[in-house]
Amino acid sequence: MTRSGQEYLEALRDGREIWLDGERVKDVTTHPAFRATAASFAGLFDLAHDSPHTPVLVKGGVHRAYAVPRSYEDLVARRHAYKVWAEASYGFLGRTPDYMASGAAGFAAAPQVFTTDRHDGADNALAYHRRLAEGGLYSAFTITNPASGRGEDDLTVRVVEERADGIVVRGAKTIGTGAVFADEILVGTIEPLAPEDTERALTFSVRVDTPGLRLISRTSYEERARSVFDHPLSSRYDENDALLVCDDVFVPWDRVLTYRDVDATAAMWWQTPAYLNFVHQSATRFWTKLEFLTGLAILITRSNGTEKLPPVVQAVGRLLGMVAQAKAFVLAAEASWEPVDEGRGGVRPGQEISFAQRIMAGELYPRAVQDVKLLAGGAIIQTPASGRDLLHPELGPLVRQYFRTPGHPAEDRLKLLKLAWDALGSEFAGRHEQYERFYQGAPHVYLTMQNWAGAADDCANLAQSCLDGYDLGTTTGPAATGATAGTGR
């Protein structure tokens, strides 16, 4: 059975070492910087554990994201599960537990990738997937290296001691999104490493309460939020980002997936379905987030009384087109599914469409935010400091008088405008705009992989076929040839 939200929260009270504003956080479930978001994650577990959504979210006693898809229909069922959890936070909780769950399922679909001459991590990868699935665990990851030098100045997580029972690691990883709320953290590297970087070419998973492991949190938007009324998104859906620091952390061998192997440390993302599974989850969430932003724009124009103006109708239509575009990438990736290991590892979403979605999303999100801002106008920057103004005996009547519009009482309109500012203009919103650009790695990583996917040769061959169809003496129009016409590509 899946675990309940309360069981999840109890597991977070494990003595983990979380630091914020120069102080150690004793309990993330009660601290004002984390408690509401922890409760939001707990709500996701409750949706799977016992709710009308349970049949969509759970199959065989585990969340569908853990299952290795065997057919197109399985991919569709997995997407329906992703959608339920994405809608629960309007797309603003990105690294929900189903994210790394789908990655672990990708590892399990092709465990042979983890077998090398130096270390055989295949069984460990399978055990990692099984442990998460059977325990309903939330795994985060830190796979980005800090900017650092080499040798004595190296700050990246690396091996400093090899023992009979495991390894000792030291150093840091960045952008641990959701890590303070997770049960485990997968520590690895997705960016390319040099052939000589064997000390840093490793992947392992540890519990967050492992001795010597510290998480240093960025500013908590949740803690700065005055109320749900004033900050409806950041007060509840700040998944946080943290720097992971390992101070001589011991990792047992059965927790090590790759070891001193540059190729395997990269291949676990690109030669298993893991990365494509990530994109499937995030693309579904992105589609949901654009639905929310577009709905927000529609409500704003109705509140402003501008919804029937031709330029506004056109702008909303453009946003609805963006939603359709985001949806189309999800459906196309499923429809272009590909077998894994000749079918032995099930199926995965189409690689070319998935990589293209990452390019599209990073470019589309800032445009969508800008379009909604234009529709909102100056109203979102001229709102009372807090909802308490509405409750003041002298100020309240003035606020209600001057912030209303026909058919929209001041309280409803201010509630809408504060939601819009939290989504579009707050520090929380700025983080999300930046994050959507780099959600699954820097563009140079997945753009390079797209070039290797085979699409480059197909495009080049089509253009070359045109060049081959004529020479300097050709004077008439070219005729279609069997080699290039009607291929259906």
Side-chain angles (χ1 to χ4, degrees), residues 106-107 109-116 119-122 125 257-258 261 263-273 340:
F107 301 156
Q112 68 276 8
V113 173
F114 295 86
T115 299
T116 68
H119 176 74
D120 190 351
L257 276 62
T258 70
D261 192 296
D263 293 335
T265 300
M268 62 179 285
W269 308 110
W270 309 109
Q271 294 182 24
T272 76
V340 177

Side-chain angles (χ1 to χ4, degrees), residues 12 117 149 154 178 180 193-194 201 211 244 253 316 344 419 430 459:
L12 296 182
D117 294 337
D154 194 354
V180 299
L193 293 173
L244 176 141
W253 282 120
V316 171
R344 289 183 289 271
L419 173 60
C459 295

Side-chain angles (χ1 to χ4, degrees), residues 203-334:
T203 311
F204 57 89
S205 183
V206 290
R207 287 173 52 91
V208 181
D209 63 345
T210 300
L213 189 151
R214 296 182 177 91
L215 291 172
I216 304 174
S217 171
R218 60 149 166 80
T219 297
S220 169
Y221 309 133
E222 176 185 329
E223 187 173 38
R224 291 186 173 186
R226 292 188 175 189
S227 67
V228 175
F229 183 90
D230 293 305
H231 301 93
L233 299 174
S234 56
S235 64
R236 297 179 290 172
Y237 309 121
D238 181 16
E239 61 190 347
N240 202 269
D241 308 288
L243 173 73
L244 176 141
V245 178
C246 293
D247 185 6
D248 290 352
V249 169
F250 172 70
V251 183
W253 282 120
D254 61 4
R255 291 286 189 129
V256 179
L257 276 62
T258 70
Y259 185 63
R260 295 184 186 271
D261 192 296
V262 171
D263 293 335
T265 300
M268 62 179 285
W269 308 110
W270 309 109
Q271 294 182 24
T272 76
Y275 186 86
L276 299 178
N277 287 352
F278 287 158
V279 176
H280 193 203
Q281 188 269 0
S282 64
T284 304
R285 179 200 55 79
F286 182 78
W287 162 25
T288 304
K289 201 171 184 180
L290 285 189
E291 285 181 321
F292 170 82
L293 290 179
T294 301
L296 190 60
I298 292 169
L299 294 179
I300 290 171
T301 62
R302 290 174 181 174
S303 176
N304 292 341
T306 60
E307 73 274 20
K308 295 183 180 180
L309 295 177
V312 172
V313 173
Q314 184 181 49
V316 171
R318 184 166 53 247
L319 285 167
L320 288 168
M322 293 181 188
V323 172
Q325 186 177 349
K327 177 181 179 180
F329 272 93
V330 177
L331 302 187
E334 295 167 357

Side-chain angles (χ1 to χ4, degrees), residues 2 11 65 87 109 124 133 158 193 200 219 232 256 334 381 384 437 460 482 489:
T2 58
E87 290 181 355
N124 293 350
R158 62 203 181 280
L193 293 173
R200 306 194 299 171
T219 297
V256 179
E334 295 167 357
I381 60 174
R437 297 174 187 263
R489 287 197 60 84

